């Protein structure tokens, strides 16, 4: 039991979720209230009135029927939620973390207290305790199933560009060939799988069949891309892009209604299958995070604890983001670290455990579905585990540096193109743009076998080691395989390898240019796979160079005698892995999560140190050449109000320099007991502020609290609808006791929507501290005072504009509230 400092002689537990108004009011029969007390068992409110010595008691079991009974001067109500919509937010607004977390604590304390009352309340309490785990369990289950469907659908549609399985058209090329008894397949084709020329009774080889294959490739690519872009345009405009910049913004406390809705989920899932199958230079891994967050958002509404509380909902969304990466790469731990390092803003320990559980469930379900049709649940499993030579750290770091440079070039070029798209007429024709990109990509990609094949297959080929079964040009070494189990000897590269290297250089340039134009257009598109592909091509070329160096000069000190035995001591596939990590690290600026994702993705635990070296070098080079990763750059480009917790504020300004309004300008405030409903409505019409400070009077400007615009609108509309006598002349009261008034309409009491503990600071507070408070407390606004008197307000938007101004950027690029 605590004494409430705001309410004289009322002894009330602070945790009780009723709103109570001060002693001194009146009951309906005119008696004055003298004391209000709660008995020690927290079940009884005693109201002692004047004119009688009897105590009026409302017992716990009666409380349900008395909840919300309006006494004049005393009101007991279950929560401020009795006005519909209170506690919710408008679209494109920032949430108030402190208020939402406080509301949840209050609700939790109420449930804990009620637990002793009955078995029913005990069950409710238990349900409340485990609802978070149940919710993330459901999110993991559904995410795993959706990911399995997307993987199977995308692989089948991708193979449709090359041919069909006449015995069972629903099988992709690999599944079609499982029943074949042939030992060698020509370019992965078996007799069961018919290429399109064969369907039209042509041979597989020759000029005619090549032209037919080429045409079919372009037509299917065009159809898939057109369908993907049209679905996004018609049904879910939010389903375009990768979604990770917006997820980061939403997790930082911003509301984008519909971004995580059911239509976005359906269209993004179908659209990403189509876009990947069209052979465009994009991946489905980034959109998987968006899809998982959609699932998390939809399922959170089954649990009101999360569905109705935006701050709590973000805990579920963080876990969902982890599940998204988990199913995209088969990397559950990498997913948790990705959510922690890259997307989440508020990540308590409880969320870490739930994310871990969610990622585990999702990965388990995907493994059960087995979409890749092999014993590995990861995309690019590598069979080799040769130790690397200490000297190789030099080329690994060099790959990191080159990766950082390529990534910076990509980010700058992509941003330039996206800005151009925003300001030019191109932005008005999104579907046409997708079609043009798809046609150009298909026409240029087909002649080169490395760009024609699926990007994931290309990465797997570049990561893999040359063995007996590899018939690709990359493995055209002058070797004699006498024994399948013998060690692979180091050998001179044949003409096929040099041809493959030239084709890979062309593929690198093409993929880089294609991804610049692809990322950010109006179809679902991810960035992980194209980045990995660019790096893998680069790394494989460097790896082949190192291998030939070791073959030609095996005895120099660099290779410390390890290459003199004749065994293959340099593994080009490892260089491809390191290069892939370098470019992806440079593009996204991930470090820890990237390394974990890479070794989970390939199963190459032995190569953690090379991956770490490359990721670190890549990040340093990227940070030196350009401040932001691709996601932060797109957040800034779109003008989202994202206050990055990784950046430092190094300027010496004060709160007084940033607050609104500036000196000598009027401040829009409400007074606690001297404004009418008409006055308040006029203020609401004339201003667009999201909230108003409440002061004692305009003369004194002493602060009482803060009220949100939305809550004020809802409360006035609700009062006019439900309370008799409320009209334009009614006084609006934010205090318990009304000023004496002779006659007139009854006053409108709005104390229950007043935040009586707003975050305040003095006008001399350094902006460094203000920015820190906005970041760490997740503030929406803070009030500025001087000697206890209100001076102004600082909102999140003001802080963002000030940061931009100090960095010599355009402050008006921050678009939203």
């Amino acid at each position: 039991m605590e004494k409430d400092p705001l309410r004289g002689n009322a002894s009330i537990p602070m945790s009780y979720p009723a709103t109570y108004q001060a002693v001194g009011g009146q009951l309906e029969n005119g008696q004055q209230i003298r004391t209000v007390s709660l008995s020690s068992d927290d079940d009884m409110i005693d109201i002692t009135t004047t004119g009688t010595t009897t105590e009026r008691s409302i017992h716990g079991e009666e409380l349900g029927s008395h909840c919300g009974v309006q006494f004049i001067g005393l009101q007991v109500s279950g929560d401020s939620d009795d006005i519909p919509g209170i506690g919710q937010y408008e679209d494109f607004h920032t949430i108030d973390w402190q208020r939402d977390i406080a509301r949840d604590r209050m609700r939790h304390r109420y449930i804990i207290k009620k637990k002793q009352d009955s078995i029913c309340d005990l069950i409710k309490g238990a349900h409340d305790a485990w609802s978070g785990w149940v919710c993330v369990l459901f999110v993991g289950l559904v995410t795993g199933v959706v990911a399995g469907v997307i993987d199977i659908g995308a692989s089948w549609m991708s193979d449709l560009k090359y041919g069909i399985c006449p015995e069972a058209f629903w099988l992709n090329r690999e599944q079609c060939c499982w029943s074949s008894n042939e030992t060698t397949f020509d370019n992965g084709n078996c007799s069961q799988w018919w290429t399109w020329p064969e369907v039209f009774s042509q041979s597989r080889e020759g000029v005619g069949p090549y032209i037919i294959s080429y045409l079919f490739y372009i037509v299917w690519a065009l159809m898939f891309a057109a369908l993907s872009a049209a679905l996004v345009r018609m049904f879910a405009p939010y389903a375009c892009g990768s979604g990770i910049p917006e997820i980061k913004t939403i997790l930082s406390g911003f509301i984008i209604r519909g971004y995580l809705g059911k239509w976005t989920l359906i269209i993004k899932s179908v659209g990403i299958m189509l876009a990947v199958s069209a052979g465009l230079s994009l991946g489905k891994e980034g959109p998987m995070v968006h899809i998982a967050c959609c699932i998390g958002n939809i399922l959170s509404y089954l649990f009101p604890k999360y569905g109705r509380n935006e701050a709590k909902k973000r805990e579920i969304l963080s876990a969902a983001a982890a599940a998204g990466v988990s199913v995209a790469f088969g990397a559950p731990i990498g997913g948790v670290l990705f959510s922690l390092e890259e997307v989440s803003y508020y990540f308590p320990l409880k969320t870490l455990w739930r994310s871990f559980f969610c990622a585990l469930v999702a990965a388990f379900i995907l493994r059960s579905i087995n979409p890749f049709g092999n014993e590995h649940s990861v995309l690019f499993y590598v069979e080799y585990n040769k130790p690397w030579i200490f000297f190789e750290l030099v080329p690994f770091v060099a790959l990191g540096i080159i990766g950082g440079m390529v990534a910076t070039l990509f980010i700058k070029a992509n941003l330039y193109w996206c800005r151009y798209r925003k300001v030019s007429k191109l932005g008005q024709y999104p579907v046409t743009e997708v079609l043009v990109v798809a046609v150009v990509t298909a026409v240029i990609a087909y002649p080169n076998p490395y760009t024609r094949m699926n990007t994931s297959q290309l990465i797997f080929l570049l990561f893999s080691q040359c063995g007996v079964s590899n018939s690709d040009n990359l493995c055209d070494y002058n070797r004699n395989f006498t024994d399948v189990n013998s060690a692979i000897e180091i050998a001179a590269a044949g003409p096929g390898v040099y041809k493959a290297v030239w084709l890979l250089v062309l593929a690198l340039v093409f993929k880089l240019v294609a991804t610049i134009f692809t990322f950010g257009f109006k179809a679902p598109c991810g960035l992980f796979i194209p980045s990995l592909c660019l790096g893998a091509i680069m790394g494989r070329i460097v790896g082949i160079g190192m291998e030939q160096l070791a073959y030609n000069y095996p005895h120099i000190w660099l290779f410390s005698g390890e290459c003199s035995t004749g065994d293959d001591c340099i593994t080009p596939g490892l260089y491809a892995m390191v290069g892939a990590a370098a470019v992806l690290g440079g593009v996204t600026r991930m470090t820890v999560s990237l390394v974990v994702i890479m070794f989970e993705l390939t199963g190459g635990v032995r190569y953690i140190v090379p991956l770490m070296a490359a990721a670190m070098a890549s990040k340093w080079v990227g940070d030196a050449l350009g401040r932001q990763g691709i996601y932060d750059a797109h957040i800034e480009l779109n003008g989202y109000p994202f206050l990055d917790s990784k950046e430092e504020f190094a300027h010496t300004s004060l709160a007084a320099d940033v607050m609104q309004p500036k000196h000598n300008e009027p401040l829009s405030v409400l007074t606690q007991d001297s404004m009418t409903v008409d006055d308040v409505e006029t203020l609401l019409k004339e201003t667009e502020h999201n909230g108003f400070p409440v002061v004692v009077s305009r003369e004194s400007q002493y602060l009482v609290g803060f009220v949100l615009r939305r809550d004020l609108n809802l409360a006035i509309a609700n009062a006019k609808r439900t309370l008799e006598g409320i009209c334009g002349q009614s006084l609006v009261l934010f205090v318990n006791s009304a000023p004496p008034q002779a006659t007139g309409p009854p006053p409108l009491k709005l104390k229950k929507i007043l935040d009586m503990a707003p975050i305040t600071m003095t006008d001399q507070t350094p902006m460094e501290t203000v920015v820190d408070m906005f970041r760490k407390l997740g503030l929406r606004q803070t009030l500025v005072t001087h000697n206890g008197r209100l001076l102004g307000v600082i909102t999140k938007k003001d802080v963002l504009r000030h940061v931009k101004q100090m960095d010599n950027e355009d402050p008006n690029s921050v678009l939203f509230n």
Side-chain angles (χ1 to χ4, degrees):
M1 200 75 102
E2 302 173 50
K3 200 79 174 166
D4 186 344
L6 297 170
R7 302 179 176 85
N9 49 353
S11 180
I12 291 172
M14 298 300 285
S15 60
Y16 204 74
T19 49
Y20 13 79
Q21 298 173 350
V23 172
Q26 290 182 319
L27 291 180
E28 286 156 328
N29 61 8
Q31 290 177 327
Q32 195 79 13
I33 296 170
R34 204 171 69 216
T35 63
V36 177
S37 63
L38 243 91
S39 64
S40 57
D41 62 356
D42 281 0
D43 269 342
M44 185 155 55
I45 300 176
D46 295 327
I47 305 164
T48 313
T49 59
T50 52
T52 173
T53 52
T54 55
E55 293 185 340
R56 174 169 180 178
S57 303
I58 305 175
H59 288 270
E61 57 270 19
E62 284 185 72
L63 197 57
S65 59
H66 283 81
C67 267
V69 172
Q70 186 87 32
F71 300 107
I72 303 171
L74 173 80
Q75 184 196 355
V76 181
S77 70
D79 203 340
S80 63
D81 285 353
D82 54 358
I83 299 174
I86 292 281
Q88 300 302 309
Y89 299 94
E90 301 282 352
D91 200 3
F92 296 121
H93 280 218
T94 308
I95 71 169
D96 191 333
W97 287 89
Q98 295 304 307
R99 184 175 98 153
D100 281 4
I101 290 168
R103 276 176 62 221
D104 184 67
R105 278 201 209 105
M106 214 163 168
R107 186 199 58 77
H108 184 249
R109 281 198 288 253
Y110 179 62
I111 286 171
I112 294 294
K113 187 170 333 126
K114 294 281 283 177
K115 263 166 112 170
Q116 287 86 29
D117 292 358
S118 67
I119 297 289
C120 181
D121 286 323
L122 189 67
I123 292 168
K124 276 183 190 167
H127 174 263
D128 184 71
W130 73 53
S131 62
W133 291 100
V134 175
C135 189
V136 294
L137 171 70
F138 286 166
V139 172
L141 290 171
V142 179
T143 305
V145 172
V146 170
V149 171
I150 290 172
D151 284 338
I152 291 165
S155 71
W156 176 70
M157 287 197 284
S158 296
D159 284 344
L160 263 186
K161 296 201 300 290
Y162 310 107
I164 196 164
C165 192
E167 290 177 11
F169 71 89
W170 56 87
L171 296 179
N172 65 17
R173 177 160 51 183
E174 189 184 354
Q175 292 160 342
C176 191
C177 292
W178 278 348
S179 59
S180 175
N181 297 324
E182 297 159 57
T183 50
T184 58
F185 298 150
D186 173 32
N187 294 330
N189 293 327
C190 57
S191 54
Q192 265 91 334
W193 176 264
W194 287 14
T195 58
W196 289 115
E198 286 179 296
V199 174
F200 293 99
S201 46
Q202 301 263 336
S203 64
R204 283 198 178 188
E205 305 299 326
V207 178
Y210 183 83
I211 292 168
I212 291 174
S213 298
Y214 203 159
L215 286 173
F216 265 94
Y217 185 89
I218 293 168
V219 169
W220 279 112
L222 196 58
M223 275 169 53
F224 289 147
L227 194 52
S228 179
L231 284 172
V232 168
R233 179 76 191 270
M234 287 190 288
F235 297 107
Y238 281 149
C240 67
S242 109
I244 292 179
E246 285 79 6
I247 297 293
K248 278 186 80 162
T249 311
I250 287 170
L251 286 177
S252 78
F254 192 55
I255 304 274
I256 308 179
R257 295 250 176 264
Y259 199 82
L260 300 176
K262 57 181 181 300
W263 275 109
T264 309
L265 168 64
I266 295 164
I267 299 302
K268 188 108 182 182
S269 304
V270 175
I272 194 61
M273 284 194 272
L274 292 163
V276 168
S277 310
L280 290 160
S281 183
L282 48 84
K284 59 179 183 292
E285 280 60 30
M288 282 294 217
V289 176
H290 185 184
I291 288 167
C293 285
C294 288
I295 292 166
N297 178 55
I298 292 164
L299 292 178
S300 72
Y301 286 104
L302 299 176
F303 304 88
K305 172 181 175 181
Y306 296 100
R308 288 192 197 152
N309 190 314
E310 292 291 345
K312 293 294 285 178
K313 186 191 286 177
R314 272 142 186 77
E315 294 178 19
I316 300 295
L317 296 182
S318 289
V325 174
S326 169
V327 292
F329 293 113
I333 300 171
V336 176
L337 291 172
F338 174 80
S339 181
L340 171 63
E341 182 184 357
E342 192 60 28
V343 296
S344 293
Y345 202 77
Y346 170 68
F347 204 83
L349 205 55
K350 182 171 56 178
T351 306
L352 179 73
W353 299 329
R354 285 189 184 148
S355 302
F356 185 78
F357 178 60
C358 192
L360 159 82
V361 172
F364 173 74
I365 294 296
L366 189 68
R367 182 72 194 81
S368 310
I369 295 171
N370 194 8
F372 306 119
N374 56 28
E375 71 271 21
H376 305 299
S377 60
V378 296
L379 277 175
F380 314 119
Y381 188 77
V382 294
E383 303 288 348
Y384 50 85
N385 61 350
K386 278 208 186 77
W388 45 278
I389 306 167
F390 181 73
F391 166 73
E392 286 186 284
L393 273 180
V394 175
F396 292 151
V397 171
L399 273 174
I401 293 167
I402 301 166
M405 290 172 170
V406 169
T408 307
L409 171 69
F410 167 75
I411 291 171
K412 289 193 184 315
N414 179 253
L415 279 183
Y416 176 80
W417 179 248
C418 288
R419 271 197 204 97
Y420 175 74
R421 182 191 288 124
K422 263 181 170 335
V423 298
S424 69
K425 279 192 170 180
L426 183 66
Q428 297 167 19
Y429 305 102
V431 179
T432 314
E433 185 196 357
V434 174
L435 292 183
V436 170
V437 171
V439 169
V440 172
T441 305
V443 169
I444 300 175
Y446 191 84
N448 184 341
Y450 295 121
T451 50
R452 182 193 315 168
M453 66 170 64
N454 206 344
T455 316
S456 299
Q457 289 173 326
L458 174 60
I459 296 170
F460 182 67
L461 177 69
L462 293 168
F463 281 6
S464 57
Q465 188 180 22
C466 286
V468 187
S469 58
N470 285 31
S471 57
D472 193 87
N473 273 344
L474 270 178
C475 296
D476 181 26
Y477 291 93
N478 301 327
R479 289 187 180 124
N480 290 319
F481 287 111
T482 49
D483 179 10
V484 175
N485 297 319
S486 66
I488 298 166
E489 62 194 19
I490 195 162
V497 174
Y498 292 111
K499 183 186 173 191
V501 166
W502 277 113
L503 287 173
L504 283 175
V505 170
L506 292 173
L508 178 69
V509 174
F510 167 71
K511 287 273 183 196
L512 180 62
V513 174
T515 313
I516 286 168
F517 288 103
T518 305
F519 188 69
F521 72 178
K522 298 299 179 206
C525 54
L527 196 60
F528 282 111
I529 290 291
S531 306
L532 288 174
C533 182
L534 289 173
I537 293 173
M538 207 171 67
R540 185 78 185 206
I541 294 169
V542 171
I544 290 170
M546 286 295 294
E547 188 185 39
Q548 291 309 299
L549 190 69
Y551 172 72
N552 290 316
Y553 307 101
H555 296 291
I556 56 175
W557 64 271
L558 290 179
F559 302 111
S560 59
E562 291 189 30
C563 294
S564 54
T565 57
D567 280 354
D568 194 357
C569 57
I570 304 280
T571 312
L574 170 58
Y575 285 79
M577 268 168 65
V578 171
V583 173
L584 184 55
V587 169
T588 60
R589 300 288 199 275
M590 298 191 304
T591 48
V592 184
S593 52
L594 171 74
V595 172
V596 176
I597 285 172
M598 283 305 296
F599 82 70
E600 282 190 279
L601 191 59
T602 55
V605 186
R606 188 168 223 167
Y607 306 122
I608 289 178
V609 172
L611 290 170
M612 286 172 78
M616 212 60 248
S618 165
K619 180 173 169 57
W620 281 333
V621 171
D623 286 345
L625 296 176
R627 264 185 329 122
Q628 297 167 312
I630 189 78
Y631 299 132
D632 292 333
H634 273 266
I635 285 172
E636 193 176 284
L637 179 71
N638 293 327
Y640 297 132
F642 181 73
L643 202 54
D644 195 353
S645 50
K646 298 187 191 86
E647 289 181 14
E648 288 179 17
F649 183 82
H651 308 289
T652 54
S653 44
L654 299 174
D657 306 331
V658 182
M659 71 177 193
Q660 299 290 341
K662 297 292 180 221
H663 294 296
N664 306 322
E665 292 176 21
L667 172 64
S668 303
V669 293
L670 299 167
T671 57
Q672 66 177 5
D673 56 10
S674 59
M675 289 177 78
T676 63
V677 171
D678 279 347
D679 296 338
V680 173
E681 288 186 324
T682 306
L683 183 67
L684 285 167
K685 275 187 195 127
E686 288 174 356
T687 61
E688 291 182 349
H689 306 306
N690 284 331
F692 302 93
V694 178
V695 294
V696 174
S697 68
R698 289 188 188 280
E699 293 74 42
S700 74
Q701 291 281 316
Y702 281 117
L703 185 64
V704 177
F706 189 84
V707 65
L708 291 174
R709 178 193 195 89
R710 177 188 164 88
D711 292 358
L712 202 53
N713 274 323
L714 287 167
I716 291 172
N718 185 64
K720 284 182 172 177
R721 199 170 56 247
T722 58
L723 299 177
E724 283 182 31
I726 297 293
C727 65
Q729 300 311 307
S730 299
L731 273 182
V732 177
L733 300 183
F734 291 101
V735 288
N736 295 319
S737 52
Q741 60 182 87
T743 55
L748 171 58
K749 297 187 176 176
L750 295 181
K751 182 159 186 195
K752 62 184 167 186
I753 64 166
L754 180 67
D755 176 9
M756 297 194 58
I759 305 279
T760 58
M761 55 186 62
T762 67
D763 56 337
Q764 295 304 303
T765 309
M767 268 313 286
E768 202 173 345
T769 309
V770 177
V771 171
D772 250 10
M773 285 176 74
F774 269 89
R775 278 180 188 150
K776 289 172 182 165
L777 294 175
L779 300 185
R780 188 179 184 177
Q781 72 277 315
T782 179
L783 306 179
V784 183
T785 60
H786 178 72
N787 295 343
R789 286 192 166 92
L790 181 70
L791 279 188
V793 182
I794 299 178
T795 64
K796 191 172 182 180
K797 195 171 181 177
D798 296 330
V799 173
L800 285 159
R801 280 186 168 149
H802 181 68
V803 169
K804 283 205 181 301
Q805 221 162 356
M806 288 293 171
D807 292 340
N808 297 322
E809 293 173 24
D810 176 19
N812 293 322
S813 61
V814 182
L815 299 179
F816 302 108
N817 295 315

